[in-house]
Amino acid sequence: MKVRHIPYQAAIIITLGVYLYYLIYRIRYTINPESLILSLSFLYAEAHGFLALFLFFFQIWQPAARKAPPPNFGLSVDVYIPTYNEDISILRKTALGCVNMRYPHTTYILDDGNRPELAKIAESWGCKYITRQERKDAKAGNLNNALRSTNADYVVIFDADFVPQPNFLDKTIGYFRDPKVAFVQTPHNYYNVDSFQFRINKKKEQFWNEQDIFYKLMMPCRDYWNSTFFTGSAAVFRRQALEDIGGIATGNITEDINTTILLYSRGWKGIYHNEVLSNGLAAKDLKNYHTQLLRWAEGNIGLLFVNNPLFIKGLTFSQRVCFFAVIFGWLIGFPKLIYFILPPIMLLSGGYPIGSFDFCFIWRYAMFLGVILIGFKFACRGYGKIRYDESYLMMNFFIFIKAALKNILRMRSVFKVTGKGLQASANLVEIIPQSLVCLICFGGIAWGWLKLYYGVSPDFMGIGVAIFWSFVNGFLAISGIELVTRPYFKRKEFRFVGAIPVRYSIPSVSDSISNVGVSRDLNEHGISLVTFSPLPMDKKISLSLYLNENILSCNATALYTAHEGNMPNYLHNKMFIYGLKFEDLSRDEMDLINRYCFDTIIPRFLQKFGKKSSVFLKIFYKFCNHERFRKHVRKKITIPLIIYNNGKPFLTAVTNDISVVGLSFTSYVPLESGTILSMEIFTPFGKCFVEGEIKQMREIVAENSYFVGIKFSHFFRNQEYVCSMSVRKDDKESLERWLKIVATGNN
């Protein structure tokens, strides 16, 4: 046991101990015989919560520490992309990502939609095409059909919307040196952060995804128990292992976990490589999200009837616990329904699930609740967000109940493909359960206040507690309804959030405009561009996009500009934001943009926004980084700069932060510490020419992204910089003026 895990494990033990004490106290002293149904219902929900928390904590006891072994060369690998009705533009991105993986392999499109147009175009992508006449067993049958049609020793599976990084196989294939390893699973990451499953704070450089706690915490910890499982995509299999169990498991709509249990029962091992090596599309709206969730819930609960991990032979004790935990986790709908509606029922009926809301119960309940909240948050190592988790449980509890009832009644499950099309707001039918919870909660609150106001009941403590929890549940319902019904911007293709330098010009005007700007977001159809000079709305604009070592020259048209009300006063008429649409890009040029977005922008975004720190470290850094402790504070500002070598442009980049004494930027090539760089910095108030020394250089994303920290040594006046690199006269005016204005917000 490593020392660094002991604090988390101690928190787990203390939290479960307090929960158990509270539960025993509840059973012995607080059952209300006058409202026995309410009382036993509430006790069931709390007992369910204890078992669920125990199973969750068992799974996250300790993460496995793995480092990718070097790849085995000379192995035969087939890559499968199963598809049914996904848009070909989505499938193309996945296919090109697969084809561009460096390790030698063959890529197959497995088309269950039997589309002739896809058969023709697959070859141009560098893929082979396999189809079949019937769709028996859905995705599992499609994969098994491909296994019979190919013969490579290793098989990689990607869903139609999952785009791998070039080094995917380099990072995973080496694990198969162990002859008992059946599969290697990697995390699922979703790049469309505008989906309602995300919360993103660009100012704080933080984002939260509903599935973070599963892929970033639970799966690495399950790997410690040799209980990680195949999650349907972004995984590598040993063909021999699949043949040992007769192929991908059928008979259950969640073929992934079913296949895993069969593999473990035969003595095979699974590996979880905890590094994002591919990126997919999250469900964009509530309807498709619930379609996906219902399929997962039905299939996982269905394991109670097919390959039940408690009884199937060959599993270890820890594997049985971990896989039963998966099943039990999907049964949370019933206790959540009790928690959501019991407080308003108390107010409306006058019946209490607790014998007496006296001081003895209140202090124990407060202690229990506080320990559970703090212990859960601490044990989750920064990945658990209680408010967000509860909000999503409010949106999903009815789906969990539906899945459980369908399994109990043994109703037939149907595999439905999750839609990846245009995002749409939820309609009223989809939010009926949450609307009813909201109605009953606020109805109960109103009735409770009336009872107190008119003296119908003197029980201020009991009614107060019920009103408080009714308000909390009503707030969760309202916030969820607001989230999924708000109007969405109807852009079909997601824009990747990232800053790249862009040179722009309008050669057709007499007073030619030429400058360098920076992007806010980008995809193969257009770009949001920040400029320091106005652009015309009715003329073609020439752009040069700096995509690492590639410079893509193209034309674009400005479709809109940000309203002045969205711009700070000190930047009016000095900085502009335009939405540009690319014109007449070739398919190869669009592919170049897509490859840059998936291979560079997404990894940099994850590195920047995906950091997790403990509460104590956050407080420490906030205190130490306070402005009063630093003479020159770095501002997180993205502006373009050009780096020169022997008087010629060598690298065009974008700053991460900047002050009057230095800056940092991200380079796609490594640079040596101590090197003196000459730079041209673009600001809304003019250019600034400087020399600086590299003080820091470190790799932040494997192979193509390096953090470079610069300390300024000399500033130049513009004309002197052009005439002679040896002139040493200071001219910080434009940079100092801008940073001062940004800091104060004044003109």
Side-chain angles (χ1 to χ4, degrees), residues 604 634 637 639-643 650-658 662-669 671 677 679 694 696-698 700 705-710:
R604 289 181 181 177
R634 290 277 181 93
I637 299 170
I639 52 176
L641 71 156
I642 298 176
I643 299 167
F650 161 67
L651 180 67
T652 303
V654 174
T655 60
N656 299 320
D657 51 43
I658 189 169
L663 59 80
S664 71
F665 65 91
T666 302
S667 170
Y668 69 90
V669 293
L671 302 172
L677 300 179
M679 293 170 286
I694 298 178
Q696 295 184 63
M697 208 294 295
R698 66 177 187 273
I700 57 175
S705 296
Y706 304 86
F707 174 88
V708 181
I710 303 291

Side-chain angles (χ1 to χ4, degrees), residues 567-585:
M567 193 76 66
N569 290 331
Y570 58 86
L571 291 177
H572 281 179
N573 300 319
K574 298 187 181 299
M575 182 179 284
F576 308 86
I577 302 175
Y578 292 96
L580 304 179
K581 179 182 178 182
F582 298 135
E583 292 189 353
D584 302 323
L585 285 184

Side-chain angles (χ1 to χ4, degrees), residues 119-270:
K120 293 179 181 178
I121 202 171
E123 185 177 356
S124 67
W125 296 344
C127 302
K128 295 185 178 181
Y129 179 84
I130 297 176
T131 189
R132 57 182 182 151
Q133 296 303 313
E134 58 176 13
R135 292 190 61 242
K136 183 181 179 182
D137 297 323
K139 179 181 175 181
N142 194 7
L143 292 169
N144 287 331
N145 179 65
L147 284 170
R148 291 189 292 268
S149 305
T150 60
N151 56 15
D153 293 328
Y154 297 90
V155 171
V156 189
I157 299 173
F158 289 110
D159 281 347
D161 58 306
F162 265 80
V163 182
Q165 301 289 324
N167 60 348
F168 181 93
L169 281 167
D170 298 317
K171 289 293 187 75
T172 54
I173 202 72
Y175 286 108
F176 290 98
R177 282 193 172 90
D178 182 346
K180 297 303 293 180
V181 170
F183 68 93
V184 178
Q185 178 65 57
T186 63
H188 289 190
N189 180 66
Y190 301 99
Y191 62 85
N192 54 327
V193 295
D194 60 345
S195 164
F196 79 96
Q197 298 176 57
F198 284 82
R199 300 289 192 279
I200 184 168
N201 188 322
K202 294 182 181 180
K203 184 176 181 180
K204 294 183 179 180
E205 295 183 348
Q206 295 176 349
F207 82 96
W208 175 89
N209 174 20
E210 185 205 4
Q211 296 190 40
D212 276 355
I213 196 169
F214 176 75
Y215 283 108
K216 296 181 180 180
L217 178 62
M218 288 181 65
M219 287 291 272
C221 291
R222 290 178 63 96
D223 197 19
Y224 172 79
W225 299 113
N226 190 29
S227 297
T228 191
F229 58 90
F230 171 44
T231 56
S233 183
V236 188
F237 278 90
R238 188 191 300 269
R239 176 184 287 271
Q240 180 187 353
L242 290 177
E243 290 177 345
D244 187 37
I245 61 171
I248 301 294
T250 59
N252 185 297
I253 59 173
T254 48
E255 76 293 331
D256 41 20
I257 192 170
N258 202 7
T259 299
T260 306
I261 291 174
L262 291 177
L263 287 169
Y264 284 138
S265 70
R266 299 284 294 178
W268 292 96
K269 292 170 57 177

Side-chain angles (χ1 to χ4, degrees), residues 613-726:
S613 300
S614 70
V615 175
F616 305 105
L617 285 177
K618 287 179 181 178
I619 295 173
F620 175 78
Y621 288 142
K622 186 174 183 179
F623 179 78
C624 291
N625 285 335
H626 198 278
E627 294 189 9
R628 68 174 179 268
F629 295 105
R630 302 183 68 179
K631 185 176 179 180
H632 300 285
V633 180
R634 290 277 181 93
K635 300 293 182 181
K636 291 184 178 180
I637 299 170
T638 54
I639 52 176
L641 71 156
I642 298 176
I643 299 167
Y644 291 85
N645 183 22
N646 296 324
K648 296 181 180 180
F650 161 67
L651 180 67
T652 303
V654 174
T655 60
N656 299 320
D657 51 43
I658 189 169
S659 72
V660 293
V661 297
L663 59 80
S664 71
F665 65 91
T666 302
S667 170
Y668 69 90
V669 293
L671 302 172
E672 292 186 9
S673 296
T675 303
I676 303 298
L677 300 179
S678 301
M679 293 170 286
E680 179 182 8
I681 304 172
F682 297 81
T683 82
F685 299 93
K687 300 177 183 179
C688 183
F689 298 85
V690 302
E691 276 187 356
E693 180 183 355
I694 298 178
K695 292 294 186 180
Q696 295 184 63
M697 208 294 295
R698 66 177 187 273
E699 186 178 58
I700 57 175
V701 176
E703 303 174 358
N704 70 356
S705 296
Y706 304 86
F707 174 88
V708 181
I710 303 291
K711 181 179 180 181
F712 296 148
S713 54
H714 301 287
F715 284 74
F716 300 93
R717 296 187 183 278
N718 295 3
Q719 63 272 22
E720 293 170 337
Y721 180 85
V722 174
C723 296
S724 173
M725 298 294 288
S726 62

Side-chain angles (χ1 to χ4, degrees), residues 21 41 58 61 144 179 198 225 269 272 341 345 422 472 527 575 581 597:
Y21 164 78
S41 297
F58 183 90
W61 181 253
N144 287 331
F198 284 82
W225 299 113
K269 292 170 57 177
Y272 187 71
I341 67 173
I345 287 177
L422 191 66
V472 170
I527 187 172
M575 182 179 284
K581 179 182 178 182
C597 290

